[in-house]
Amino acid sequence: MNDELNPGVLPTFDDVEAAAERLVGVAWRTPLLAGTPLDVLTGGRVLVKVESLQRTGSFKIRGAYNRLVQLDPDERAAGVVAFSSGNHAQGVACAAAMLGIRATIVMPADAPRAKLEGTRAFGAEIIIYDRERESREAIASSLATERGSTLVPAFDDPHIIAGQGTVGLELMQQAREFGATPDQVLIACSGGGLVSGSALAIRELSPTTEVLCVEPAGLDDTRRSLEAGHRMTNAQGARSICDGLQSPSPGVLNFALMRKLLAGGVTVTDAQVQQAMGWAFRHLKLVIEPSGAVALAALLTGQVPTRGRTTAIVITGGNVDATVFVEALAHA
Amino acid sequence: MNDELNPGVLPTFDDVEAAAERLVGVAWRTPLLAGTPLDVLTGGRVLVKVESLQRTGSFKIRGAYNRLVQLDPDERAAGVVAFSSGNHAQGVACAAAMLGIRATIVMPADAPRAKLEGTRAFGAEIIIYDRERESREAIASSLATERGSTLVPAFDDPHIIAGQGTVGLELMQQAREFGATPDQVLIACSGGGLVSGSALAIRELSPTTEVLCVEPAGLDDTRRSLEAGHRMTNAQGARSICDGLQSPSPGVLNFALMRKLLAGGVTVTDAQVQQAMGWAFRHLKLVIEPSGAVALAALLTGQVPTRGRTTAIVITGGNVDATVFVEALAHA
């Protein structure tokens, strides 16, 4: 893949800070939990940033709002189009509703019901496509052209990256309130919006903190890309219960940032994700969706050294159907 | 029942504040959530105090620690005894472990596994009794006498009340950070430790705020006691899925405070509790145990006027077995 890029388009720490100001009263300052049973289990200190308690049930409102609020009046009047398996869908739909913008979201037929219903509840128009036979990119882009609407990408966009990065900014601010500086931060990764934006903030505020991305096994395009030094793609048809972590390769902007800022990546299996969901049910009293549990799974399976260190993880979302959750409890 | 009482033994707001100081670094400042989907649903503003995210998975550590930390060295050396279906058990076991005190807990054979395991994990000795045929009070008190240990009551104790009251104190402080003053606060009630202590703080800081207790239908001894003006008892054999809300009557100290400070009580059925647990799973992404969901159930079933008002609720705990949780999801 071609990674040539004008570095001027990359977002910076200042963009994350500006996004945080735009998000006051829009995205909640979600809790950073300390002193959970993870401390005893890991022999270290663990901080848990709970974005499942965010408006729309995931961090995605941050990037979506930061993108939409910067549209000019003509662009707003022409509406927005997005494609997403669900959390970006809800983020865009919610942000659009707040700003009085018409939103059309292209979603796969097999998206979690919780995510379909959530998106619909914000008043967005939903276009269903067949994940196996149709291209969501093609549908969304022809819709956008037809209507003159703005296509809102899920991750490969400087405003989206800066918005998601406010998770990392908040995490570091809240850690400071506990008198803690994380030695490492584990963050779920699909296209890399959350990780790259958060890494901008984390490494600006603490250059020695390591940021690691966590991906489902078989969908570890970012880990492999970081090792190879250029963008890699997942095998076609690779699947995981992590419905929100299925993008085939890291975004161009995202990878340019991650290459500079990340210490590497780790992977977790579906079974480990289910065990983490069950563990969180029992010990953290949190409902976590599969994609939202990968960082916890990486921690619980000892994929990073934790003894005597301070580790922060991000729980990215909680939009999970009861059937999927119940099955995770049965396997945990 | 005899309600004669020396008013000098009643805890005061100062006792709640003193407890809060003792609890720094011991009990977490749990999140107060605002801007949840409850706002739209109720047509008002709802604040959710999430004590299910507290150390031990419920608020009970607050009262237990506040009691145990005030034992003198001889009392500490002689250990403590408590009886509880589970959350007070874990609170006492955890506080005892922190203070190096030996704890013996009398628990019913049918206590939730999550609560039995949690208590055992803190190193407490557990004595199992048969809820139908044995008296936990008799077992605990003979154990305490035999060993010279201190019996730690679950609610009818000024230090326990003051400790639990820190929930109400924190709630009001956190509400102020949001620029909000609750018009009403809904709190689960069994013996009344949490409600009476919290009411001390809430009404001191905002005399116009109404505090209401919420009980399971059939176990509404406190609501009926408040109406009658003296302590009433539940019918023998009355049952609910709310395993933590089964005390037969309000505590003496607790009732003396509640009579003065509460605006009344409301009740919810088991089915409403299950629906609330399911609703919280879907919309709040929180794992709530049945007893912890009664205030939410009261809100969701419209038992109090909410339109245009600010209502705070306390989610008291999240220690629920997977089977019970799964069944609630199926009924929701």
Side-chain angles (χ1 to χ4, degrees):
Chain A
M1 284 188 182
N2 182 7
D3 291 332
E4 293 304 316
L5 193 69
N6 172 359
V9 303
L10 286 179
T12 64
F13 176 66
D14 288 349
D15 294 320
V16 179
E17 284 198 309
E21 276 174 43
R22 290 184 199 106
L23 289 172
V24 171
V26 171
W28 314 135
R29 194 173 196 259
T30 55
L32 183 72
L33 304 180
T36 69
L38 286 167
D39 288 3
V40 172
L41 205 77
T42 60
R45 186 170 194 186
V46 179
L47 306 172
V48 184
K49 178 71 173 160
V50 195
E51 281 289 297
S52 48
L53 301 181
Q54 185 54 266
R55 192 174 218 163
T56 73
S58 92
F59 67 94
K60 290 281 190 177
I61 179 72
R62 297 175 182 262
Y65 186 89
N66 191 48
R67 180 74 172 83
L68 266 56
V69 75
Q70 295 185 71
L71 295 175
D72 67 33
D74 286 349
E75 290 170 325
R76 291 192 188 196
V80 295
V81 173
F83 51 86
S84 158
S85 77
N87 281 339
H88 178 56
Q90 290 182 83
V92 171
C94 178
M98 279 188 234
L99 295 165
I101 298 173
R102 183 180 159 203
T104 308
I105 319 279
V106 181
M107 298 182 75
D110 62 351
R113 257 186 55 194
K115 295 181 176 182
L116 280 164
E117 286 168 8
T119 307
R120 196 170 283 125
F122 290 115
E125 180 190 352
I126 297 178
I127 312 270
I128 299 287
Y129 78 99
D130 179 336
R131 199 200 280 268
E132 305 297 326
R133 297 183 311 144
E134 296 177 282
S135 155
R136 60 185 192 171
E137 288 83 354
I139 298 172
S141 117
S142 87
L143 264 173
T145 308
E146 207 172 278
R147 301 178 177 182
S149 302
T150 301
L151 190 64
V152 183
F155 49 83
D156 209 342
D157 177 287
H159 303 314
I160 299 282
I161 293 170
Q164 321 299 34
T166 60
V167 171
L169 181 62
E170 259 180 42
L171 189 161
M172 295 302 280
Q173 291 166 339
Q174 291 169 305
R176 191 176 295 164
E177 290 166 17
F178 287 127
T181 304
D183 296 305
Q184 56 190 351
V185 185
L186 304 182
I187 306 180
C189 184
S190 184
L194 177 65
V195 188
S196 61
S198 292
L200 274 176
I202 293 165
R203 301 202 29 105
E204 172 79 20
L205 297 175
S206 169
T208 60
T209 298
E210 292 187 338
V211 179
L212 294 123
C213 68
V214 188
E215 293 168 298
L219 293 163
D220 57 344
D221 48 294
T222 300
R223 184 188 65 76
R224 289 184 298 111
S225 300
L226 290 169
E227 283 178 11
H230 59 89
R231 290 166 67 230
M232 307 279 281
T233 303
N234 293 318
Q236 272 240 316
R239 282 282 176 276
S240 158
I241 53 164
C242 300
D243 58 272
L245 303 179
Q246 310 254 357
S247 86
S249 60
V252 174
L253 299 179
N254 313 70
F255 183 65
L257 290 170
M258 292 194 286
R259 215 182 144 174
K260 226 167 40 178
L261 300 169
L262 261 58
V266 294
T267 64
V268 289
T269 66
D270 280 2
Q272 291 171 334
V273 167
Q274 289 179 309
Q275 279 156 15
M277 291 168 69
W279 195 91
F281 164 83
R282 283 199 304 279
H283 298 286
L284 300 179
K285 319 301 176 191
L286 294 174
V287 174
I288 312 183
E289 65 179 279
S291 309
V294 293
L296 177 62
L299 194 70
L300 289 173
T301 53
Q303 311 232 13
V304 291
T306 51
R307 187 157 299 278
R309 308 182 77 195
T310 299
T311 304
I313 61 172
V314 179
I315 304 294
T316 54
N319 295 311
V320 54
D321 285 345
T323 48
V324 174
F325 194 75
V326 168
E327 185 158 333
L329 293 188
H331 282 78
Chain B
M1 283 188 184
N2 182 7
D3 291 331
E4 294 304 318
L5 194 68
N6 171 0
V9 303
L10 285 179
T12 65
F13 176 66
D14 289 349
D15 295 319
V16 179
E17 284 198 310
E21 276 174 46
R22 288 184 200 107
L23 289 171
V24 170
V26 171
W28 314 135
R29 194 172 195 259
T30 56
L32 183 72
L33 303 180
T36 70
L38 285 166
D39 288 3
V40 172
L41 205 78
T42 60
R45 186 171 195 186
V46 179
L47 306 172
V48 184
K49 178 72 172 161
V50 195
E51 281 288 296
S52 47
L53 301 181
Q54 185 54 266
R55 190 173 219 165
T56 74
S58 92
F59 67 94
K60 290 281 190 178
I61 180 71
R62 296 173 182 264
Y65 187 88
N66 191 48
R67 180 73 173 82
L68 265 57
V69 76
Q70 295 184 70
L71 294 176
D72 67 33
D74 285 349
E75 289 170 325
R76 290 191 189 196
V80 294
V81 172
F83 52 85
S84 158
S85 78
N87 281 338
H88 178 55
Q90 289 181 86
V92 171
C94 178
M98 279 187 237
L99 295 164
I101 298 174
R102 181 178 160 203
T104 307
I105 318 280
V106 180
M107 299 183 74
D110 63 350
R113 254 187 55 194
K115 294 180 177 182
L116 280 164
E117 285 167 9
T119 306
R120 195 169 286 126
F122 290 116
E125 179 189 353
I126 297 177
I127 312 272
I128 299 288
Y129 77 99
D130 179 337
R131 199 199 278 269
E132 306 297 324
R133 299 183 309 146
E134 297 177 281
S135 155
R136 61 184 191 171
E137 288 84 353
I139 297 172
S141 116
S142 86
L143 264 173
T145 309
E146 206 173 279
R147 300 179 178 183
S149 301
T150 301
L151 190 64
V152 183
F155 49 83
D156 209 342
D157 177 287
H159 303 313
I160 299 282
I161 292 171
Q164 321 298 34
T166 60
V167 172
L169 180 63
E170 258 179 42
L171 189 160
M172 296 303 280
Q173 291 166 339
Q174 290 169 306
R176 190 176 297 164
E177 289 166 18
F178 287 128
T181 305
D183 296 305
Q184 56 192 350
V185 185
L186 304 183
I187 305 179
C189 184
S190 184
L194 177 65
V195 189
S196 61
S198 292
L200 274 176
I202 293 165
R203 297 194 43 95
E204 171 79 19
L205 297 174
S206 170
T208 60
T209 298
E210 292 186 339
V211 179
L212 295 123
C213 68
V214 188
E215 293 168 300
L219 292 163
D220 58 342
D221 48 294
T222 300
R223 184 188 65 75
R224 290 184 296 110
S225 299
L226 291 169
E227 281 176 13
H230 58 90
R231 291 166 66 229
M232 308 278 282
T233 303
N234 292 319
Q236 272 241 315
R239 281 281 176 277
S240 157
I241 52 164
C242 300
D243 59 272
L245 303 179
Q246 311 254 358
S247 86
S249 60
V252 174
L253 299 178
N254 313 69
F255 183 65
L257 290 170
M258 292 194 286
R259 215 180 145 175
K260 226 168 40 177
L261 300 169
L262 260 57
V266 295
T267 64
V268 290
T269 66
D270 280 2
Q272 290 171 335
V273 167
Q274 288 180 309
Q275 278 156 16
M277 290 168 68
W279 195 91
F281 164 82
R282 283 199 304 280
H283 298 287
L284 301 178
K285 318 302 178 190
L286 294 174
V287 174
I288 313 184
E289 65 178 279
S291 309
V294 295
L296 176 63
L299 194 71
L300 289 173
T301 53
Q303 310 232 15
V304 291
T306 51
R307 188 158 297 279
R309 308 182 78 197
T310 298
T311 303
I313 62 172
V314 179
I315 304 294
T316 55
N319 295 312
V320 54
D321 285 345
T323 48
V324 174
F325 194 75
V326 168
E327 185 158 333
L329 293 188
H331 282 78

